[in-house]
Amino acid sequence: LTAFTIFALAVASITGILISSLRAQRQALIFLNVQNNIRFSLEIMAREMRTGSNFLIFPASSPPQSSGTGIGENGDKLGFLNQAGENVRYRLNQGLIEKSSDGGVTFSPITAENVVVENWRFVLVGGAPLDNQQPRVTFSLKVRATLGTQKTETIIQTTITQRELDS
């Protein structure tokens, strides 16, 4: 009876450790998938922005506005001309990052549906023409994902600089 009790306690604690390990593995897998999806999406944006020009920040629910200084302009949508001359727009729509290559007429998501993006903000510095500043866009976002009862979230901020000075 004593041996059986010790065996049952050992099996119960090993089972608890196994279940805890499986939960940790699921959490790590969710976090890895979120990171990979966001990394891929941000890399698409960064490549296009580095070779872009004429950056504009669009404040929430209004047309693009520029103070003329290009200093500290911020908003939740970004527009610019890419290297191919397309009028590109990025926006957040119902938790998905979307891209338009036709000036905002049609948008396509570039993030996965299981990844929810929140608090999407852009700040543009050096966006005014002939200001002798390298245009740079800083954006921040909060990302979260859920798989069953497992949830994960992370906050990302990065700055992308245009390769050439405005002329």
Side-chain angles (χ1 to χ4, degrees):
L1 185 61
T2 303
F4 179 74
T5 303
I6 292 173
F7 177 74
L9 289 173
V11 168
S13 49
I14 290 172
T15 303
I17 291 171
L18 179 65
I19 289 172
S20 177
S21 297
L22 287 174
R23 284 185 186 147
Q25 180 188 17
R26 284 188 196 130
Q27 186 76 16
L29 183 61
I30 291 169
F31 187 70
L32 182 64
N33 286 337
V34 167
Q35 278 190 326
N36 285 338
N37 186 264
I38 288 299
R39 185 179 304 125
F40 177 73
S41 300
L42 295 181
E43 183 61 27
I44 289 171
M45 293 174 62
R47 286 183 181 188
E48 203 163 32
M49 290 166 67
R50 282 189 200 111
T51 58
S53 62
N54 300 332
F55 290 91
L56 282 176
I57 301 295
F58 295 71
S61 303
S62 65
Q65 296 178 359
S66 176
S67 65
T69 63
I71 299 172
E73 296 175 31
N74 63 73
D76 62 355
K77 298 177 191 91
L78 174 70
F80 59 95
L81 292 177
N82 67 8
Q83 188 176 22
E86 297 172 326
N87 193 352
V88 176
R89 300 278 188 266
Y90 285 102
R91 72 175 184 186
L92 183 65
N93 184 25
Q94 297 178 353
L96 297 174
I97 298 174
E98 295 182 331
K99 175 187 174 183
S100 171
S101 295
D102 57 10
V105 176
T106 58
F107 283 88
S108 301
I110 62 170
T111 53
E113 290 184 10
N114 66 333
V115 175
V116 178
V117 178
E118 301 172 339
N119 301 333
W120 169 264
R121 299 295 300 165
F122 291 102
V123 176
L124 172 64
V125 176
L130 304 172
D131 62 3
N132 290 326
Q133 289 188 19
Q134 192 79 355
R136 66 183 181 273
V137 177
T138 300
F139 57 93
S140 60
L141 52 111
K142 179 179 172 182
V143 183
R144 66 181 166 82
T146 304
L147 180 63
T149 60
Q150 302 293 316
K151 298 178 183 179
T152 185
E153 69 179 40
T154 187
I155 297 172
I156 300 170
Q157 179 175 324
T158 190
T159 299
I160 300 169
T161 304
Q162 179 181 319
R163 286 187 180 161
E164 297 181 14
L165 284 174
D166 276 343
S167 53

